[in-house]
């Protein structure tokens, strides 16, 4: 299930995460198999049930580093966005993803993204395209 992690909401109020582009924290996106149990209760990155690249070198444990776009307001909603991520020369199957803060101790979880089923790539490019950064669609939004 896609969700904003409950622990992340509390950590925001404690000032744990900084999404400012270039000067903020480092966020990563890790990919998982259908055996992973991710949801609102996920509190941190774990390599348990993380995907493995079956050929090529596209995916490494811990996932890809995200390029943050400094948060802005869309009407009365604060929104956060990331640049799309592509894994080239990839061969794997992923069922979902976890965005987490790699700069903070314990790699705290932020957002769980369900892909709606297994997505497979064989010797090709696997792209995660983030939605439009507005009050209705942004991957992270606070209304």
């Amino acid at each position: 299930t896609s969700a904003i992690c409950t622990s992340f909401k509390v950590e925001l109020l404690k000032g744990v995460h900084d999404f400012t582009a270039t000067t903020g924290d480092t966020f990563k996106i890790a990919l998982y198999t259908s055996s992973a149990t991710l949801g609102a209760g996920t509190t941190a990155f774990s390599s348990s049930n993380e995907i493995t690249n079956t050929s090529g070198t596209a995916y490494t444990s811990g996932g890809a580093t995200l390029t943050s776009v400094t948060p802005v307001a869309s009407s009365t909603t604060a929104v956060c966005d990331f640049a799309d991520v592509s894994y080239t020369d990839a061969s794997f199957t992923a069922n979902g993803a976890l965005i987490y803060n790699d700069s903070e101790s314990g790699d705290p979880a932020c957002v769980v993204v369900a892909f709606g089923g297994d997505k497979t790539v064989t010797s090709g490019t696997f792209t995660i395209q983030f939605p439009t950064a507005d009050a209705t669609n942004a991957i992270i939004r606070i209304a």
Side-chain angles (χ1 to χ4, degrees), residues 54-55 89-92 120-125:
T54 56
S55 68
D89 188 28
S91 293
F92 56 73
T120 301
V121 60
T122 305
S123 298
T125 300

Side-chain angles (χ1 to χ4, degrees), residues 3-133:
I4 300 283
C5 299
T6 304
S7 56
F8 172 70
K9 296 173 190 176
V10 172
E11 291 161 355
L12 282 176
L13 296 176
K14 293 180 178 180
V16 172
H17 304 280
D18 181 355
F19 288 90
T20 306
T22 68
T23 61
D25 294 336
T26 298
F27 293 88
K28 288 190 165 189
I29 187 163
L31 303 178
Y32 290 87
T33 69
S34 59
S35 297
T37 53
L38 302 171
T42 301
T43 59
F45 165 75
S46 169
S47 60
S48 179
N49 295 305
E50 187 179 14
I51 68 152
T52 55
N53 216 37
T54 56
S55 68
T57 58
Y59 188 84
T60 57
S61 182
T65 300
L66 294 170
T67 301
S68 291
V69 176
T70 299
V72 296
S74 174
S75 186
T76 60
T77 301
V79 299
C80 181
D81 190 22
F82 300 101
D84 296 346
V85 174
S86 291
Y87 301 90
T88 57
D89 188 28
S91 293
F92 56 73
T93 298
N95 189 274
L98 175 69
I99 297 172
Y100 67 98
N101 188 337
D102 192 46
S103 293
E104 292 296 322
S105 176
D107 296 329
C110 301
V111 177
V112 171
V113 181
F115 293 161
D118 284 345
K119 305 298 179 193
T120 301
V121 60
T122 305
S123 298
T125 300
F126 186 90
T127 300
I128 298 172
Q129 185 176 25
F130 288 98
T132 304

